[in-house]
């Protein structure tokens, strides 16, 4: 690569300039670059730029971007005040924090100093700032950050260096970067491996950590039989559909959307918000409801929270109390239909006085807490009685017996619907070596 | 034992049978165009008229009502010929084996006199209406209702029946519906009643015929009853007694499947062997290759066993009195339906690509055969029936002993131990089949010994199963399936042993071939039984099978990841 050659050239020019003892005028170098007095430090930034970007765009920059100015400020005022790397990120994107901004900051840092001074602190700061920019799950960003490390310098070259934890701070930094990847569940890819090999060598701590990640992560990838996707549907009806099927977990259960969210304008000119109502019921629940005794009430209870990663949704239940044992009606089998001798095709019960042998008895004696039946569930935009009554009347179409059963509403004053904590500020967990050195 | 000697019919009856069989065979060989029937999915009226003239619509109806009045054995013999065309066989069977059987066995004289004459000549066609959209194998869950009118003289029938053979043309139907009955405790209960319903009563609508895979000439459709008025004189048996009527009808019609299957296979052997003998590949005719010979042997064995079982059962049913041969009939049906399917498949295989085309009848036979395993009680249901009936009977005898064992009665335990030791040391079992006074011919001694051994082993296995499961054995379908398979094999072995002993004793033509077939079949069946019985002694895969099925059914899809999937 040309970087070492360029490095050498700059050094030579610098020495030459100092040797000559006078300000060097613009010297045209073979690459078509311009050289100015080495006295002004801020020109270093300008000097480096032409080498590291293509010849075409070298001098056509009319104005410096804000970021460059920030970097200049930093380098200019280096002796005068303490500027942390965090501020760099802060200043980079005041209003919006995107991946592009983050990448830009990293680029600027990389290009600023060929020796990458302070890269360890920078990387720590960047790791801390990642969640704010929303790039903590982006593998390319981690690879780019890993790219900040100088290559081939940190690799141990003899046995003494190999023995004694060569460049411990940098290795620890690499390990922390991989640790953050692990925390967010990212699987590193081949580029990561190549980078780690180039930066730290094959037998370094970060490389070992990478190998450990690559051993364990595939084994745990499918450990959760019911994974929640990272990207949840944003449409409340779709989200409700997803969460209700997740709770019900019955392949027969059918979702019915009783009302789509809409805004109506009534006669006095007011806006009436109609929230969405999505319900779920399975055929088993329907038949249980049909057998419910109309003398006993059913209860609409809620709202119960359901957490899907960082989103909390609330659902309501339609349930009844368990039947006390005295009132339980045993289903009688008509002996003729399922008689011991012969039913129409084969006997459903054999009239023998023998029980199952202990060796083949796989039943457990379970002390079950008796719970009443749950007849249906729903999720609604608003948890007030009016909306839920609408749900009940929608249910009545498929279960007419609901018209005769008294329905009691036992609602808590629920929190606001669809609270997402992603809008709140995530508390920063103090990582071990997070302190940015000044 | 009532299986030895093999049932016979008298010389006069046999001659009479021959007289009947010849014109029927001639009719089927010349006037029945099976290919056209299958293609157009309808039996032409000329063919139906021909059948009516031959009297095939009332084979078992007594002569006083205008039928042929033949016994079960002769019915089975005629079934061998009618089975050459699947659609015709099913139409006739739906008409007489189940459609009018109800009136025949459980109807009173007035009903018989009113309906049987026209049914026997074929002027009216009968159908059997039991299956509904919500109840196929589970016949106890039918929803069709019959309510008594105010004047108590009629029943109003409401409901839908599904997949009724002859449904489109039937004029007289045996319909099963729920009626409210007040039983002796004074409680109101729903019981099933059988009715004779005429299409002329009104309110009977037939749907359009179903487009089926096989037996396309037979008419199968939906029948809806809307407030059909049925007079109370048309109740078969008594109100609430429909269940027993249905049972008797269904249990009696099954045995003829054995002879029907055998007839079809015999025909197939003729057609296929001609092809195998003439077709040459690799400079030899197909019939010289071992695998082809294996197929022909399979076909011959299956035909032999099927007809032995069928005629044995028919003969037992023809004995005076009303013997209950439902168990044997079920065994015949299961064996025959599966045997026919494999044999037709093998016959098609001999022809290779030609068998696959519509130019040859094999594909039609294959399609027609597929229904044999489904209708008249699916094979799974019948296996359960066979096994549980056996278990019921064995359980009654063994309950006392098993209870003693479980209690840990020392004397009984010693007795069992002693018996087990004796079994280990002395391996021979003697039930008296062979030997000086034995009923089996000495040439079949080896096969008979194998049979006896199997039977004894089976007995002890049943005992251990009852010990292990008790009455919860009803839920162990995988175990019961094996038990049923063993029972079917045992019955098949008895049938062939009995038949061959008779053949040798009276010197029928080719009885040495029969001996060969018997010995081969018994040896095969012996090994199969041993395998099944070993599996039943706890060395099976049942638990794993259930677990796999549970996981697949929980997801309702194939569970494994694709072999090409990666995790990183």
């Amino acid at each position: 690569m040309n970087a070492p050659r360029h490095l050498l050239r700059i050094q030579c020019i610098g020495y030459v300039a100092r040797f000559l003892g006078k300000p060097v005028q613009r010297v045209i170098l073979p690459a078509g670059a311009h050289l100015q007095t080495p006295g002004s430090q801020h020109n270093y930034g300008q000097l480096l730029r032409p080498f590291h970007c293509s010849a075409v765009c070298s001098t056509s920059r009319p104005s410096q971007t804000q970021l460059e100015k920030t970097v200049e400020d930093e380098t200019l005022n280096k002796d005068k005040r303490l500027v942390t790397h965090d501020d760099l990120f802060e200043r980079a994107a005041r209003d919006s924090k995107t991946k592009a901004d983050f990448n830009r900051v990293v680029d600027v840092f990389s290009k600023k100093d060929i020796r990458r001074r302070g890269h360890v602190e920078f990387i720590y700061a960047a790791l801390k700032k990642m969640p704010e920019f929303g790039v903590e799950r982006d593998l390319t960003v981690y690879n780019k950050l890993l790219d900040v490390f100088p290559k081939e310098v940190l690799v141990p070259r003899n046995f003494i260096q190999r023995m004694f934890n060569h460049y411990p701070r940098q290795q620890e930094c690499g390990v922390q970067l991989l640790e953050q990847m692990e925390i967010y569940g990212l699987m590193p890819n081949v580029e990561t491996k190549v980078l780690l090999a180039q930066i730290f060598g094959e037998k370094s701590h970060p490389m070992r950590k990478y190998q450990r990640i690559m051993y364990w992560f595939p084994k745990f990838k499918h450990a959760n039989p019911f994974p929640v996707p990272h990207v949840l549907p944003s449409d409340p009806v779709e989200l409700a559909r997803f969460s209700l099927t997740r709770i019900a977990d019955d392949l027969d259960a059918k979702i019915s959307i009783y009302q789509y969210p809409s805004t109506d304008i009534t006669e006095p000119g007011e806006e009436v918000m109609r929230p969405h109502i999505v319900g779920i019921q399975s055929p088993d629940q329907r038949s249980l409801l049909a057998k419910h005794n109309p003398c006993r009430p059913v209860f609409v209870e809620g709202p119960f929270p359901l957490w899907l990663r960082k989103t909390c949704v609330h659902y309501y239940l339609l349930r009844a109390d368990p039947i006390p044992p005295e009132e339980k009606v045993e289903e009688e089998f008509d002996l003729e239909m399922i008689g011991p001798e012969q039913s129409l095709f084969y006997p459903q019960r054999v009239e023998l006085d023998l029980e199952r042998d202990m060796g083949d008895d796989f039943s457990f004696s379970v002390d079950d807490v008796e719970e009443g039946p749950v007849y249906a569930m729903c999720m609604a935009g608003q948890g007030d009685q009016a909306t839920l009554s609408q749900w009940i009347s929608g249910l009545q179409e498929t279960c007419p017996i609901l018209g005769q059963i008294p329905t009691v509403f036992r609602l808590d004053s629920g929190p606001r619907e669809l609270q997402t904590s992603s809008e709140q500020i995530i508390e920063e967990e103090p990582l071990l070596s997070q302190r940015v050195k000044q | 034992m009532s299986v030895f000697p093999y049932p016979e019919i008298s010389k006069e009856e046999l001659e009479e049978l021959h007289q009947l069989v010849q014109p029927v065979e001639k009719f089927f060989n010349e006037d029945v165009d099976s290919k056209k029937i299958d293609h157009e999915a309808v039996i032409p009226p000329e063919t139906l008229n021909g059948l009516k003239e031959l009297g095939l619509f009332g084979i078992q109806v007594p002569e006083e009502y205008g039928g042929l009045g033949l016994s079960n054995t002769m019915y089975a013999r005629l079934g061998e010929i009618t089975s050459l065309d699947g659609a015709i066989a099913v139409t006739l069977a739906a008409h007489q084996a189940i459609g009018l059987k109800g009136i025949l066995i459980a109807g009173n004289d007035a009903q018989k006199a009113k309906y049987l004459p026209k049914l026997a000549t074929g002027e009216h066609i009968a159908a059997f209406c039991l299956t509904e959209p919500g109840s196929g194998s589970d016949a106890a869950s039918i929803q069709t209702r019959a309510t008594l009118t105010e004047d108590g003289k009629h029943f109003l029938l409401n409901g839908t029946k599904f997949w009724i053979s002859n449904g489109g043309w039937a004029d007289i139907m045996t319909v099963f519906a729920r009626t409210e009955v007040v039983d002796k405790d004074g409680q109101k209960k729903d019981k099933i009643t059988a009715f004779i319903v005429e299409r002329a009563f009104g309110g009977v609508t037939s749907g359009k015929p179903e487009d089926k895979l096989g037996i396309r000439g037979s008419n199968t459709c939906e029948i809806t009853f809307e407030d059909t008025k049925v007079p109370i004189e048309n109740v078969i048996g008594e109100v609430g007694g429909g269940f027993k009527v249905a049972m008797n009808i269904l249990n009696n019609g099954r045995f003829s499947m054995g002879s029907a299957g055998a007839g079809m296979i015999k025909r197939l052997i003729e057609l296929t062997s001609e092809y195998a003998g003439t077709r040459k590949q690799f400079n030899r005719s197909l019939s010289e290759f071992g695998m082809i010979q294996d197929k022909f042997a399979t076909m011959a064995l299956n035909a032999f066993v099927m007809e032995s079982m069928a005629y044995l059962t028919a003969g037992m049913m023809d004995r005076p009195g009303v013997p209950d041969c439902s168990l044997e009939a079920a065994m015949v049906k299961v064996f025959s339906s599966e045997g026919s399917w494999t044999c037709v498949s093998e016959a098609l295989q001999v022809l290779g690509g030609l068998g696959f085309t519509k130019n040859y009848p094999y594909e039609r036979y294959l399609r027609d055969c597929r229904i044999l395993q489904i209708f008249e009680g699916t094979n799974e249901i019948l296996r359960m029936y066979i096994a549980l009936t056996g278990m019921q009977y064995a359980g009654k005898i063994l309950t006392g002993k098993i209870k003693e064992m479980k209690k840990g009665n020392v004397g009984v335990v010693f007795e069992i131990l002693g018996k087990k030791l004796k079994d280990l040391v002395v391996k021979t079992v003697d039930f008296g089949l062979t030997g000086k006074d034995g009923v089996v011919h000495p040439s079949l001694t080896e096969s008979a010994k194998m049979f006896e051994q199997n039977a004894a082993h089976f007995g002890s296995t049943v005992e251990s199963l009852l010990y292990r499961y008790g009455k919860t054995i009803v839920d162990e379908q995988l175990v019961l399936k094996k038990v049923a398979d063993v029972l079917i094999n045992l019955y098949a072995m008895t049938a062939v042993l009995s038949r061959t002993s008779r053949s040798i004793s009276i010197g029928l033509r080719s009885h040495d071939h029969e001996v060969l077939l018997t010995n081969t079949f018994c040896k095969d069946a012996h090994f199969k039984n041993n395998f099944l019985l070993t599996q039943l002694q706890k060395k099976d895969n049942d638990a794993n099978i259930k677990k796999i099925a549970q996981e697949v059914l929980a997801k309702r899809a194939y569970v494994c990841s694709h072999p090409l999937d990666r995790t990183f």
Side-chain angles (χ1 to χ4, degrees), chain B residues 143-349:
Chain B
Q143 298 291 321
T144 309
R145 273 211 153 261
T147 38
L148 203 53
T149 49
E150 298 243 320
D151 57 4
K153 291 214 181 128
H154 287 94
F155 275 100
L156 285 178
L157 198 57
N158 274 301
T160 328
K161 295 289 184 186
F162 202 39
W163 288 338
I164 308 297
S165 298
N166 298 344
W169 321 316
D171 305 295
I172 316 265
M173 289 162 273
T174 311
V175 182
F176 291 83
R178 280 183 180 273
T179 45
E180 226 177 49
V181 163
V182 180
D183 69 355
K184 45 190 190 293
D185 295 338
Q187 272 192 331
K188 281 196 178 167
K189 275 193 168 174
D190 269 346
K191 295 228 170 181
I192 300 185
T193 313
F195 297 95
I196 308 176
V197 178
E198 292 178 42
R199 198 178 275 270
F201 288 162
V204 180
T205 36
S206 316
K208 71 174 184 52
E210 300 271 347
D211 196 12
K212 302 187 291 289
L213 169 68
I215 52 167
R216 289 168 60 80
S218 144
N219 176 291
T220 312
C221 64
E222 196 180 306
I223 300 187
T224 320
F225 298 100
E226 260 183 59
D227 283 333
T228 311
K229 260 186 166 178
V230 182
I232 51 173
E233 300 87 40
N234 276 19
V235 172
I236 303 182
E238 41 174 59
V239 177
F243 212 69
K244 288 220 159 43
V245 173
M247 243 166 49
N248 288 333
I249 300 174
L250 288 169
N251 287 340
N252 282 330
R254 292 192 178 119
F255 67 95
S256 63
M257 204 179 282
S259 57
M264 189 179 61
I265 297 180
K266 287 193 264 196
R267 185 59 172 286
L268 279 175
I269 293 179
E270 285 170 24
L271 294 172
T272 322
S273 48
E274 210 183 296
Y275 178 80
T278 46
R279 167 98 171 155
K280 274 186 177 293
Q281 284 284 277
F282 307 115
N283 241 336
R284 296 154 74 178
S285 74
L286 284 189
S287 49
E288 294 180 41
F289 292 109
M291 293 213 197
I292 304 291
Q293 290 170 343
D294 179 35
K295 294 186 202 302
F296 280 103
T298 315
M299 287 198 268
L301 277 168
N302 268 318
F304 180 67
V305 176
M306 276 196 244
E307 50 179 23
S308 314
M309 281 168 86
Y311 286 110
L312 179 62
T313 317
M316 285 203 288
M317 282 166 77
D318 278 337
R319 295 231 170 94
V322 188
D324 178 21
C325 294
S326 44
L327 184 62
E328 287 83 358
M331 292 199 266
V332 170
K333 193 259 182 189
V334 173
F335 187 88
S336 315
S337 52
E338 295 185 352
S340 309
W341 177 247
T342 38
C343 283
V344 174
S345 201
E346 297 286 292
L348 196 152
Q349 182 78 8

Side-chain angles (χ1 to χ4, degrees), chain A residues 50-103:
Chain A
F51 281 101
H52 288 271
C53 48
S54 68
V56 177
C57 65
S58 54
T59 43
S60 56
R61 293 253 188 106
S63 60
Q64 285 176 331
T65 57
Q66 187 63 28
L67 206 46
E68 318 301 342
K69 287 197 187 115
T70 319
V71 173
E72 285 166 40
D73 285 340
E74 202 185 283
T75 48
L76 269 172
N77 307 332
K78 224 155 133 172
D79 323 284
K80 300 219 178 100
R81 71 188 145 96
L82 233 46
V83 172
T84 59
H85 291 286
D86 286 355
D87 287 350
L88 208 63
F89 284 96
E90 283 296 315
R91 277 183 263 170
R94 253 168 259 267
D95 27 357
S96 79
K97 297 188 170 181
T98 59
K99 179 175 165 178
D101 295 323
F102 192 90
N103 282 345

Side-chain angles (χ1 to χ4, degrees), chain A residues 344-345 353-354 356-357 360, chain B residues 139 385 403 468 471 476 554:
Chain A
L344 192 54
F345 283 114
D353 213 2
L354 298 165
R356 205 172 171 105
D357 192 32
D360 290 288
Chain B
Y385 171 67
K403 277 200 156 162
R468 274 170 68 190
K471 63 182 181 221
E476 299 288 323

